[in-house]
Amino acid sequence: MSSRIKEIFSRVKTENRKALINYIVSGDPNIETTLDIMNAMVEEGVDIIELGVPFSDPMAEGVSIQKGHERALENGTSLRDTFKLVEKFRETNIETAIVFMGYMNTFESLGAQEFMIEADKVGLDGILIVDMPPEESSDFTKYAEERSIDIIRLIAPTTSSARSKIICSQASGYIYYISVKGITGAGNLDAEDVKINVKELKQHTNLPIAIGFGIKDSASASSVKEVADGIVVGSVFVDLIGEGGDILKKVKDKTKELSEALS
Amino acid sequence: MSEELMPDKNGRFGIYGGRYVAETLVPALEELSDQYELIKKDNKFIEEFRSDLAHYVGRPSPLYFAKRWTELLGGAKIYLKREDLNHTGAHKINNTVGQILLAKHMGKKRIIAETGAGQHGVATASVAARHGLECIVYMGEEDIKRQSLNVFRIKLLGAKVVGVSSGTSTLKDAMNEAMRDWVTNVDDTYYIIGSVAGPHPYPQIVRDFNAVVGEEVLEQSQIEIGKDPDVLVACVGGGSNAMGLFYPFIEKKNVRLVGVEAGGLGLSTGKHAAPLNDGKQGVLHGMRTYLMQDESGQVTETHSVSAGLDYPGVGPEHAWLKDIGRAEYVTADDEQALEAFKELTRVEGIMPALETAHGIAHVKELAPTMNKDQSIVVNVSGRGDKDINTVASIEGIEL
């Protein structure tokens, strides 16, 4: 397991709080600003940053994040640019964990082996390939293990208990629990359902569990935090970035609101 | 490995196919596979499906000898498999008749579909109307413009058309949006995919329900031709009409299988929809297959005069048939397709869909190179009424 992700979760535990995991799209609105946004988030207490790798067909994303991908692609942001971004970020930060979140086709454009060599080199901590269920993951899993890059796995409300066990046995870093049946930014979060499902999930794994999809403010974060080890917030940040204006201030304020809610 | 067993238990055709979807959908696809495996052996289901094909669709569709066209081209005898005569005007109805029964069997109340040319949308809306189920059809804004006639037909059938303006506003984006709907409403919704594409088990299900086309040709060619045809030709977008025709012939190695992709403005221009000819392996819409994409793995914009072929991927079984050399894949460009559209219309009085016209265009090239005692069966996958506006506007005629 990546030492950084492990350390983060054990640190937040001793600090008696939950990890804040923010998602943004790499290159949205441009790669320089993405670096500034990352650093701004760090200032206000983000623990892990999930960097969306832009893809032409982000099938699991709601409108907000789709638009983020489109903005990043308009300025030509690629997977290689995203690796360079991490390299640059690591010049000043070795504490915050970085996870790439995206789709199989862009990850494969580099090949699984070269991807992991590059990931190791720049200081990437994990990957979450949305359309790579355990059945389809052999190459990435193999090369990730060699280089201690975590493979973050999704578990959904539709996942059976038997299947959860299998997924947990193949996951590393943390488990990403999808809180709703739906796409990112969905508005139908049912905190009671989430609590029941995550409690059950905890019987299958000792890995930390992060909850995401449909969490956008301190209220929604607070509603599920008792069962979570971390909370993932994405669409709301991508919306703020899309709005423009003083992006850094907006992102800082939102990060602060969330990290306070999780303390 | 026996070709009969394809796909394997993981939904693979060789290295192609599979189930590359977000976790939320995996259990739904597993359930669909299980239910399909049960139902396809169920006599009551088989009877109902066959009866619907006969009485609702109007099967079998004729195998028609194109005498004048054969004489004009001066080579192999050309036979047309008349899927254009099916109810709703294309082969697409075969699959929707089967899948709606599966949906009902699974207790689903809401039907969704994607459509490009609108034929699958019309076919889905028709069977949904017949079974009294709610139906939502996703369609790219670009295609809504090109295929306004079918949009109106879908609405008349009581379905809702949802325009999709993300990405390139065509079929692939409509499919993304349908997947997003499905993942959100997975409990009560059945997604009727219209091609032999998408995550397992869709490529298998859609192939099996369309295989009636090839099965009929197997029998009809013994009667009409007196032997197996030498070549089967069909256009390939996602590849459902071609797969339906080819599948029962895969083990008949004496029969050549030729798929015709959309060459658009020409292969060399890059503006086409021919992933099997000029694409590379990748993952989109839940399947591993040949894809039109750039160096960084972004799916690239496609071009074809026919909305139904305007798709950057292709069914995984076609990818596999190409790699093992069992089927050949060629292209016909926009201009050739338009010319073929006009020729078949004038010589045989049969107006093919622009998608179909790509297959027709290849027959124009192939037939003269063959002997008069040889024969070609080409799948007339759909009729051309829906394309009148497109053809008129290309000719500068306002209707």
Side-chain angles (χ1 to χ4, degrees):
Chain A
M1 195 199 264
S2 139
S3 52
R4 220 166 350 233
I5 290 177
K6 201 172 178 177
E7 275 164 24
I8 286 166
F9 280 103
S10 59
R11 188 169 67 235
V12 300
K13 200 166 193 182
T14 57
E15 290 171 4
N16 201 21
R17 62 181 182 94
K18 310 296 179 180
L20 175 62
I21 305 170
N22 287 356
Y23 171 99
I24 48 173
V25 180
S26 166
D28 172 27
N30 56 62
I31 206 93
E32 295 78 20
T33 309
T34 304
L35 181 63
D36 294 341
I37 292 169
M38 291 165 77
N39 286 320
M41 286 175 161
V42 171
E43 271 180 52
E44 299 301 338
V46 77
D47 297 290
I48 297 173
I49 297 172
E50 288 183 353
L51 273 179
V53 178
F55 182 43
S56 51
D57 296 82
M59 224 164 62
E61 315 297 349
V63 177
S64 302
I65 294 180
Q66 283 176 47
K67 289 201 169 133
H69 280 253
E70 283 177 12
R71 287 191 296 267
L73 286 173
E74 268 164 37
N75 64 54
T77 307
S78 66
L79 178 60
R80 285 187 191 278
D81 297 329
T82 308
F83 275 125
K84 278 184 210 141
L85 170 67
V86 178
E87 198 166 27
K88 198 112 193 219
F89 178 75
R90 284 277 172 254
E91 287 172 9
T92 58
N93 182 315
I94 53 163
E95 272 111 40
T96 310
I98 306 286
V99 171
F100 280 5
M101 182 166 179
Y103 293 82
M104 195 76 174
N105 206 52
T106 41
F107 283 65
E108 276 194 354
S109 68
L110 214 55
Q113 187 173 19
E114 196 184 334
F115 182 97
M116 291 304 167
I117 292 171
E118 198 66 19
D120 196 15
K121 199 182 89 190
V122 301
L124 184 70
D125 301 285
I127 62 166
L128 197 176
I129 305 181
V130 178
D131 53 353
M132 185 183 80
E135 294 84 354
E136 306 291 1
S137 60
S138 57
D139 272 7
F140 277 96
T141 313
K142 187 174 89 185
Y143 293 116
E145 271 170 15
E146 281 176 12
R147 295 184 183 265
S148 303
I149 306 288
D150 288 330
I151 302 251
I152 318 297
R153 296 273 179 203
L154 296 169
I155 287 184
T158 51
T159 311
S160 68
S161 180
R163 194 173 156 79
S164 283
K165 275 182 208 164
I166 298 168
I167 296 174
C168 287
S169 73
Q170 295 185 29
S172 53
Y174 54 94
I175 299 286
Y176 188 132
Y177 181 75
I178 300 175
S179 58
V180 296
K181 289 172 192 161
I183 49 182
T184 52
N188 51 337
L189 180 70
D190 182 334
E192 292 314 307
D193 270 3
V194 171
K195 285 181 199 168
I196 294 164
N197 290 340
V198 172
K199 275 178 193 159
E200 199 205 313
L201 180 56
K202 282 193 164 161
Q203 294 168 3
H204 305 320
T205 182
N206 292 320
L207 285 173
I209 295 171
I211 299 175
F213 281 39
I215 300 172
K216 53 183 185 297
D217 50 22
S218 59
S220 45
S222 301
S223 73
V224 292
K225 73 171 185 181
E226 70 172 87
V227 293
D229 300 293
I231 295 290
V232 189
V233 182
S235 297
V236 64
F237 285 111
V238 181
D239 274 340
L240 291 173
I241 293 165
E243 273 173 19
D246 192 346
I247 294 175
L248 294 183
K249 181 173 185 308
K250 289 180 185 175
V251 163
K252 272 188 179 180
D253 289 349
K254 190 45 105 173
T255 306
K256 190 165 181 233
E257 173 194 333
L258 291 161
S259 65
E260 280 171 1
L262 297 181
S263 296
Chain B
M1 191 183 302
S2 168
E3 284 126 0
E4 285 290 319
L5 294 174
M6 288 290 172
D8 67 18
K9 65 177 173 39
N10 299 314
R12 291 191 178 278
F13 305 89
I15 61 167
Y16 301 105
R19 199 177 263 164
Y20 296 87
V21 293
E23 174 60 25
T24 315
L25 286 181
V26 175
L29 290 163
E30 281 178 347
E31 189 201 351
L32 181 60
S33 289
D34 293 346
Q35 293 295 324
Y36 176 63
E37 289 305 318
L38 285 176
I39 207 175
K40 77 176 191 191
K41 293 173 202 130
D42 181 79
N43 284 331
K44 197 171 149 268
F45 168 79
I46 296 168
E47 247 170 63
E48 201 173 351
F49 178 52
R50 285 194 182 146
S51 165
D52 283 355
L53 287 180
H55 303 289
Y56 187 67
V57 177
R59 302 206 71 90
S61 69
L63 186 67
Y64 165 83
F65 176 49
K67 186 164 172 285
R68 286 231 311 147
W69 196 34
T70 296
E71 283 165 7
L72 180 76
L73 296 178
K77 289 197 275 295
I78 304 162
Y79 293 83
L80 311 179
K81 179 58 176 167
R82 299 292 309 276
E83 291 299 292
D84 58 316
L85 294 179
N86 290 342
H87 177 48
T88 74
H91 73 287
K92 293 286 185 189
I93 191 77
N94 302 323
N95 166 50
T96 58
V97 160
Q99 285 204 57
I100 200 101
L101 293 178
L102 184 51
K104 281 193 84 169
H105 170 81
M106 292 173 73
K108 304 293 183 183
K109 303 277 179 255
R110 185 173 170 271
I111 300 297
I112 59 170
E114 84 294 337
T115 197
Q119 287 302 123
H120 177 58
V122 169
T124 305
S126 299
V127 296
R130 182 175 172 239
H131 289 275
L133 296 174
E134 183 191 356
C135 179
I136 293 112
V137 177
Y138 289 92
M139 191 166 184
E141 291 287 358
E142 196 58 41
D143 293 336
I144 287 181
K145 272 186 241 154
R146 301 195 262 194
Q147 304 285 346
S148 54
L149 188 67
N150 272 344
V151 174
F152 189 55
R153 286 172 80 193
I154 295 167
K155 287 180 185 166
L156 285 175
L157 288 159
K160 190 175 151 201
V161 177
V162 179
V164 179
S165 57
S166 57
T168 55
S169 306
T170 59
L171 178 55
K172 85 168 169 77
D173 308 290
M175 200 157 173
N176 287 332
E177 211 50 40
M179 285 278 184
R180 290 180 187 123
D181 179 317
W182 196 31
V183 86
T184 307
N185 301 292
V186 64
D187 292 332
D188 70 342
T189 297
Y190 185 100
Y191 179 15
I192 300 188
I193 290 186
S195 195
V196 286
H200 177 64
Y202 281 105
Q204 177 190 7
I205 291 178
V206 179
R207 174 198 72 192
D208 291 353
F209 288 150
N210 269 304
V212 63
V213 177
E215 283 155 13
E216 286 173 6
V217 170
L218 266 178
E219 284 181 25
Q220 289 167 325
S221 49
Q222 300 311 317
I223 298 160
E224 303 296 330
I225 310 172
K227 57 179 181 177
D228 287 335
D230 294 280
V231 188
L232 302 180
V233 176
C235 64
V236 176
S240 63
N241 91 79
M243 213 53 243
L245 177 64
F246 293 174
Y247 184 61
F249 285 89
I250 288 179
E251 304 234 1
K252 285 191 169 261
K253 300 284 161 66
N254 55 322
V255 180
R256 263 175 79 193
L257 310 176
V258 184
V260 187
E261 292 193 303
L265 302 180
L267 269 192
S268 60
T269 65
K271 291 187 186 306
H272 55 75
L276 290 167
N277 280 274
D278 191 32
K280 59 179 189 193
Q281 199 208 102
V283 174
L284 181 70
H285 293 150
M287 60 179 165
R288 183 177 296 284
T289 187
Y290 281 92
L291 275 187
M292 305 265 297
Q293 57 179 315
D294 68 15
E295 294 290 298
S296 347
Q298 306 302 343
V299 178
T300 50
E301 200 162 343
T302 52
H303 172 89
S304 172
V305 68
S306 75
L309 302 184
D310 213 348
Y311 181 66
V314 62
E317 194 161 10
H318 286 295
W320 175 68
L321 290 174
K322 173 192 158 76
D323 280 12
I324 63 168
R326 178 63 192 96
E328 304 153 53
Y329 295 90
V330 298
T331 61
D333 63 26
D334 286 356
E335 213 172 299
Q336 290 169 309
L338 283 162
E339 206 177 300
F341 171 89
K342 288 181 203 160
E343 185 167 300
L344 195 71
T345 302
R346 288 196 187 143
V347 177
E348 292 292 345
I350 293 172
M351 192 179 291
L354 281 178
E355 290 77 18
T356 305
H358 288 72
I360 303 296
H362 184 66
V363 172
K364 263 165 71 73
E365 298 202 344
L366 184 64
T369 68
M370 292 168 63
N371 299 328
K372 290 187 175 174
D373 58 353
Q374 291 182 300
S375 58
I376 299 172
V377 171
V378 57
N379 199 4
V380 181
S381 53
R383 67 180 188 222
D385 312 42
K386 69 180 177 60
D387 295 311
I388 298 300
N389 286 326
T390 305
V391 174
S393 91
I394 289 169
E395 312 236 305
I397 297 163
E398 220 174 291
L399 294 181

